[in-house]
Amino acid sequence: MYLATTDAVATATDGRRSRGRVTGPVLALGAVSLVTDISSEMVAAVLPLYFVLGLGLSPLAFGFLDGLYNGVTAFVRLLGGYAADRGGRHKLVAGSGYLLSALSRLGLLLAGGATAGIGAAIAADRLGKGVRTAPRDALISLHTPPDQLGRAFGVHRAMDTTGALLGPLAAFALLWVTADAYDAVFMVSFCCGLFGVLMLVAFVPGREEPPPARRRARGPSAPRLALALLRHAAFRRVCGAAALLGAATVGDAFLYLLLQRRLDFAESWFPLLPLGTAAVYLLLAVPAGRLADRFGRRGPFLAGHAALLVAYALLLLPTGGHLLLVGVLLALGVFYAATDGVLMALVAPFVPPDQRASGMAVVQTGQALSRLVAAAGFGAAWTLWGIGPALTCAALALTAAIAGAAALLPRADDPHGTLRRRTTRP
């Protein structure tokens, strides 16, 4: 989807003038993502404490909500990209997603302690993220010359991660100043999210409707063709491996809760835990991607899940103090650095260029749904059996999943485009 639409930018932009620089719209989108991620991570950093300690929810109820928080995005990702591409309304669709996420913060305030209301607010936030992701990335590609797409996406993701670092810091500061007033966190998060929407409206240019011929070629059959990719063995094996590993991936919110219980530190320090993970991720994401490009993506992807297994083991072992804290956060950071972008790089050779975003969304959907099941399952096991047995089962499941994924994943990329040749006809 992205590569097919960047030729218009190439003809409208003087490549010599923009060489080595990121275009203004990309920087504006990066700023929007930075502010929005501050808003999102402020809430994400305090939700585990708010649910389990503030509202007294059981681990089972928290597991369901945590899975919902991460899984509901999957259902609307394809829809958002399809709606934006068909009508050329990338800015409108992306803005709607950003606005919905911002309004969800007010939903948390109005819900009080009602689990149903909290679940609805979380679902609204994830729906907003699912709607905006594909149109936002399309806007980045549409406003970038083809030979600078990697740099543009790298700058955007770096700005986005900066927001992920600043969000927990802001939540920590607010909880410190207001004596654990979660409502203050939700209100400030709403204001940041709304500011991001205003930045999008003011500084990000819209996208004109694409030519009719191109719109017919890309639009009506996009969702159907994306799901049809599952008929092909290589793509199906990657999807299966990602879903299998996702089903054994305990959400990091659970691991942060376990750290807090094991180390027994003050609740006001809890929002800083994601900050450590994000810092490691920021440092290692680019080296992990280069390693994957040089030696193959299968190995780093599996190694990242092995790092997650190390985090499980550290929480099971009788370790404590700084060794446990640093070890778990480092392992989580390595896990995200070696799996997040690497999975998309692993999928790309098995998806035709004109279905690239839709194919990646199919993989992300399977992974998100399996993680929803994993979060709910771990919460149920924690409630019924206790922390130790539940985490032991998760470690055994992840070990088996890594072995299964190693057998499923293709051992080489698809440089000759065999899948591409088989899926070009509608």
Side-chain angles (χ1 to χ4, degrees):
M1 180 178 82
Y2 303 144
L3 296 179
T5 56
T6 53
D7 54 342
V9 176
T11 59
T13 304
D14 187 344
R16 289 173 296 182
R17 286 185 302 167
S18 61
R19 185 174 300 279
R21 295 187 301 172
V22 176
T23 61
V26 174
L27 291 176
L29 285 165
V32 171
S33 292
L34 190 155
V35 173
T36 303
D37 226 40
I38 291 175
S39 171
S40 299
E41 293 303 321
M42 285 179 64
V43 174
V46 303
L47 278 183
L49 282 179
Y50 180 62
F51 288 158
V52 177
L53 301 181
L55 300 181
L57 295 183
S58 69
L60 175 61
F62 174 69
F64 171 76
L65 290 175
D66 183 65
L68 180 67
Y69 191 81
N70 292 286
V72 74
T73 308
F75 293 104
V76 295
R77 192 179 298 269
L78 276 176
L79 181 61
Y82 174 64
D85 283 337
R86 187 174 185 182
R89 306 183 190 94
H90 298 86
K91 179 177 176 179
L92 176 62
V93 176
S96 299
Y98 281 112
L99 181 60
L100 182 59
S101 291
L103 293 176
S104 71
R105 314 293 187 247
L106 292 181
L108 288 172
L109 283 172
L110 297 175
T115 303
I118 294 171
I122 290 175
D125 175 58
R126 295 298 91 184
L127 286 172
K129 181 176 177 60
V131 166
R132 71 178 183 253
T133 299
R136 180 204 64 199
D137 286 349
L139 278 171
I140 294 173
S141 67
L142 292 169
H143 289 288
T144 304
D147 61 340
Q148 298 181 35
L149 283 173
R151 179 182 176 88
F153 278 103
V155 169
H156 175 269
R157 296 304 193 264
M159 296 177 74
D160 185 81
T161 306
T162 302
L165 289 171
L166 295 176
L169 281 176
F172 169 76
L174 280 172
L175 289 179
W176 184 279
V177 170
T178 62
D180 297 338
Y182 294 101
D183 289 355
V185 175
F186 298 149
M187 179 57 68
V188 173
S189 174
F190 164 71
C191 293
C192 288
L194 188 60
F195 182 58
V197 175
L198 295 177
M199 289 178 63
L200 178 77
V201 173
F203 299 112
V204 177
R207 173 64 184 170
E208 296 181 357
E209 189 170 340
R214 178 172 295 168
R215 186 171 64 252
R216 287 194 299 267
R218 293 185 292 122
S221 60
R224 178 173 56 84
L225 288 180
L227 294 177
L229 290 170
L230 291 171
R231 294 200 301 263
H232 303 287
F235 181 76
R236 187 169 62 247
R237 289 169 66 184
V238 175
C239 289
L244 180 63
L245 289 166
T249 300
V250 174
D252 48 7
F254 274 119
L255 301 186
Y256 297 149
L257 281 173
L258 293 176
L259 274 177
Q260 196 275 335
R261 293 195 174 202
R262 283 282 302 275
L263 301 178
D264 196 27
F265 51 78
E267 295 177 14
S268 58
W269 292 95
F270 187 88
L272 294 182
L273 294 178
L275 183 66
T277 300
V280 176
Y281 172 49
L282 182 62
L283 290 174
L284 297 182
V286 173
R290 290 179 176 175
L291 186 68
D293 287 339
R294 183 171 182 180
F295 297 105
R297 290 136 190 170
R298 181 176 178 273
F301 182 65
L302 294 173
H305 286 86
L308 180 62
L309 184 60
V310 170
Y312 293 179
L314 287 173
L315 287 166
L316 285 170
L317 294 174
T319 54
H322 293 90
L323 177 62
L324 177 63
L325 178 64
V326 174
V328 171
L329 296 182
L330 180 63
L332 278 175
V334 172
F335 163 66
Y336 283 114
T339 59
D340 191 9
V342 172
L343 176 59
M344 295 298 98
L346 180 64
V347 172
F350 303 105
V351 184
D354 60 339
Q355 301 176 52
R356 187 67 49 81
S358 296
M360 289 180 175
V362 171
V363 177
Q364 293 166 354
T365 297
Q367 186 182 56
L369 292 178
S370 63
R371 287 183 176 180
L372 189 155
V373 174
F378 184 78
W382 184 348
T383 302
L384 296 175
W385 305 330
I387 296 175
L391 193 57
T392 300
C393 290
L396 293 175
L398 182 56
T399 302
I402 292 173
L408 278 175
L409 287 172
R411 294 188 174 272
D413 292 339
D414 187 26
H416 301 296
T418 55
L419 178 61
R420 187 178 299 111
R421 290 196 300 268
R422 295 169 61 186
T423 57
T424 51
R425 290 179 299 177

